[in-house]
């Protein structure tokens, strides 16, 4: 049975980092819905052209178009043994559509992995980023500070904080994510598929917890 997984987590939870590690360790592709959209739009595929029609009108792309992109990706040979879905589903309606689509393919979801991190720590991770005006190098005031405050290590350029890196903007991003994701978390918890992982541990420990949870789900899945 393919190892089909969903990876969820708020901005700053380390989801992207863990997705790359899991993909390498498990030998299955990381499929991010945002990347999928950009690829279809760039290649001007029929699904991409259909999505663009809605986007150009300022409308949301219908679920069936997104599902079509996911289905097409899952049917590719490298997804035969499983996939790590990132950014999809976003709502219970999309989750039900995904269940139906997987069922039609003779597959089923093994686990919905949710990396949980307190809002205070997410803000520490997200709101401390500073960028070099000259070369674009990114620093973090706490986790990756420059040698000289306010100055880039590489070229001495001045560091500044982008508008979307401020605490106010990041707090809103986190709140929106939590509001949108809460119903999805409940959806998968009710179905016994949700696995919550403490994302406040060091990266290797988060990886180990994820791999252990996946192995348990894989060996107990009927």
């Amino acid at each position: 049975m393919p190892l089909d997984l969903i990876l969820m987590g708020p901005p700053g939870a380390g989801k992207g980092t863990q997705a790359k590690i899991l993909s390498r360790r498990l030998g299955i592709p990381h499929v991010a819905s945002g990347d999928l959209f950009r690829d279809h739009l760039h290649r001007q595929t029929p699904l991409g052209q259909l999505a663009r029609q809605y986007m150009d009108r300022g409308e949301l792309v219908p679920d069936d178009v997104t599902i079509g992109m996911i289905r097409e990706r899952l049917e590719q040979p490298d997804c035969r043994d499983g996939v790590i879905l990132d950014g999809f589903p976003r709502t219970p309606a999309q989750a039900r559509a995904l269940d139906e689509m997987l069922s039609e393919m003779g597959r089923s979801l093994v686990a919905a992995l949710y990396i949980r991190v307190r809002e205070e720590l997410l803000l520490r991770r997200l709101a401390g980023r500073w960028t070099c005006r000259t070369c674009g190098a990114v620093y973090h005031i706490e986790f990756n500070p420059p040698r000289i405050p306010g100055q880039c290590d590489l070229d001495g350029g001045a560091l500044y904080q982008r508008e979307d890196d401020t605490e106010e903007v990041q707090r809103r991003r986190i709140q929106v994510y939590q509001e949108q994701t809460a119903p999805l978390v409940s959806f998968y918890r009710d179905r016994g598929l949700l696995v919550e992982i403490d994302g406040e541990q060091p990266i290797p420990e988060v990886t180990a917890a994820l791999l252990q949870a996946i192995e348990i789900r894989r060996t107990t899945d009927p």
Side-chain angles (χ1 to χ4, degrees), residues 40-192:
H40 276 269
L41 291 169
H42 176 72
R43 292 190 290 120
Q44 297 186 2
T45 66
L47 283 170
Q49 291 174 345
L50 185 57
R52 189 179 294 280
Q53 291 177 19
Y54 290 94
M55 295 166 70
D56 287 346
R57 295 197 298 264
E59 300 174 9
L60 292 175
V61 177
D63 285 352
D64 59 346
V65 176
T66 307
I67 280 284
M69 292 184 184
I70 297 289
R71 177 189 289 274
E72 182 181 283
R73 183 69 183 89
L74 287 179
E75 288 174 343
Q76 294 178 21
D78 66 327
C79 292
R80 181 179 57 217
D81 295 330
V83 68
I84 302 167
L85 289 174
D86 173 6
F88 183 89
R90 291 184 181 275
T91 65
Q94 290 182 350
R96 285 188 286 270
L98 176 62
D99 282 348
E100 292 173 10
M101 185 262 287
L102 288 173
S103 178
E104 291 168 7
M105 300 174 69
R107 303 167 68 151
S108 62
L109 195 66
V110 173
L113 306 162
Y114 182 57
I115 302 176
R116 187 184 65 252
V117 180
R118 287 170 298 154
E119 183 175 324
E120 311 91 82
L121 180 54
L122 293 173
L123 284 171
R124 278 176 55 197
R125 292 178 178 178
L126 293 168
R129 292 190 298 206
W130 289 74
T131 304
C132 175
R133 288 191 184 277
T134 308
C135 71
V138 178
Y139 296 86
H140 192 283
I141 202 69
E142 181 177 355
F143 304 116
N144 180 37
R147 289 192 294 268
I148 300 173
Q151 183 174 311
C152 179
D153 293 348
L154 303 177
D155 59 13
L159 302 183
Y160 76 105
Q161 191 167 47
R162 299 187 314 179
E163 186 176 335
D164 57 355
D165 282 338
T166 62
E167 181 173 337
E168 182 181 358
V169 171
Q170 296 298 346
R171 187 182 297 277
R172 181 58 186 155
R173 279 184 68 204
I174 294 167
Q175 289 174 345
V176 168
Y177 179 87
Q178 304 289 20
E179 290 166 4
Q180 291 177 343
T181 308
L184 195 61
V185 169
S186 297
F187 178 91
Y188 284 119
R189 181 181 288 119
D190 292 345
R191 283 155 182 76

